[in-house]
Amino acid sequence: MLTYLIQDVAEVADETTEEKLVLFDLLFRSGTGGAIIISILCVLLFAAIYIYFERLFAVRAASKTDKNFMAQIRDAVTTGNIESAKVRCAQENSPVARLTAKGISRIGSPLEDINTAIENAGRLEVYKLEKNVAILATIAGAAPMIGFLGTVIGMVLAFHELATSSGQAEMGLLAEGIYTAMTTTVCGLVVGIIAYMGYNHLVVKTDKVVHQMETTAVDFLDLLNEPT
């Protein structure tokens, strides 16, 4: 019984290895041009995945703010304890807290100057949140085009084989060109779809943080504008 079990496990392992080898062959045995293009697409895929997760963790960290933060700032500012408000902002260390700290540092200036300072700080925070996201958008657009380039190269190879053989091309060489065309197209579309979905997800997450910052800025300006 144990012998049969070991044989079954060995057969499953062999099948898995064969599937991996077949997948590897499908991707990288499509001619030199196809292998180069697929290698480029693999690099773009790894870059897209890295940027997506790095930005996702950064945006999630930026969105975490204590629900009582603005209430604590309101109490500190109302009682004139400005230093306590600054310390609380430093402890929070989030885009919302940094915007509030910028406004607190300008208390005593005209309200318009405070608003301008907060807006400038907000632009810097948005820039930090959107860092490298444009690269993800570029990959989403470039990957399918690189895949289509492989398609064109593959079809050129196939028709060149037909043209140089007087219509009696070897099926293996002809199929290689068509094979290159198909595999590069599929890989380009897969990379493009992954990058595009990742980009849009990050945009939605970033917009939520930006909305948080805008709401906080309005609340802080309303606090300063309240009659004493």
Side-chain angles (χ1 to χ4, degrees), residues 16-37:
T16 304
T17 304
E18 288 177 1
E19 289 176 359
K20 290 181 179 178
L21 290 174
V22 169
L23 179 60
F24 181 83
D25 290 342
L26 284 173
L27 292 177
F28 290 99
R29 291 195 178 180
S30 55
T32 304
I36 291 173
I37 289 175

Side-chain angles (χ1 to χ4, degrees), residues 45-225:
L45 177 61
F46 287 130
I49 292 173
Y50 172 79
I51 292 172
Y52 170 73
F53 283 106
E54 188 272 332
R55 284 292 86 200
L56 180 62
F57 294 144
V59 172
R60 281 184 177 178
S63 65
K64 293 179 180 178
T65 304
D66 187 355
K67 294 181 180 179
N68 298 320
F69 172 72
M70 280 308 298
Q72 294 168 351
I73 295 298
R74 177 182 292 273
D75 292 340
V77 172
T78 302
T79 57
N81 196 350
I82 304 301
E83 289 302 319
S84 175
K86 290 180 179 179
V87 170
R88 184 66 187 90
C89 290
Q91 291 173 343
E92 191 68 19
N93 191 28
S94 65
V96 167
R98 286 190 286 271
L99 286 186
T100 306
K102 177 62 69 174
I104 292 172
S105 67
R106 298 299 176 90
I107 288 179
S109 302
L111 200 60
E112 184 177 347
D113 292 345
I114 298 175
N115 185 31
T116 302
I118 292 176
E119 286 181 354
N120 292 335
R123 292 191 189 97
L124 292 176
E125 293 297 332
V126 172
Y127 174 77
K128 292 177 184 177
L129 290 173
E130 294 178 345
K131 180 182 177 183
N132 293 331
V133 175
I135 297 176
L136 199 60
T138 301
I139 293 174
M145 289 191 288
I146 293 174
F148 291 144
L149 175 61
T151 301
V152 175
I153 292 174
M155 297 309 295
V156 167
L157 292 175
F159 283 108
H160 178 265
E161 181 60 26
L162 280 175
T164 56
S165 62
S166 302
Q168 296 180 350
E170 293 184 16
M171 290 304 297
L173 295 175
L174 185 61
E176 182 178 324
I178 299 174
Y179 184 73
T180 300
M182 296 299 101
T183 53
T184 55
T185 300
V186 171
C187 290
L189 289 173
V190 168
V191 175
I193 290 170
I194 292 173
Y196 181 73
M197 292 176 66
Y199 170 76
N200 279 297
H201 185 240
L202 289 177
V203 167
V204 171
K205 290 289 186 181
T206 303
D207 285 344
K208 289 182 179 179
V209 179
V210 172
H211 178 69
Q212 266 186 335
M213 291 191 293
E214 290 174 346
T215 302
T216 301
V218 171
D219 290 343
F220 182 75
L221 291 173
D222 286 344
L223 169 62
L224 297 182
N225 206 28

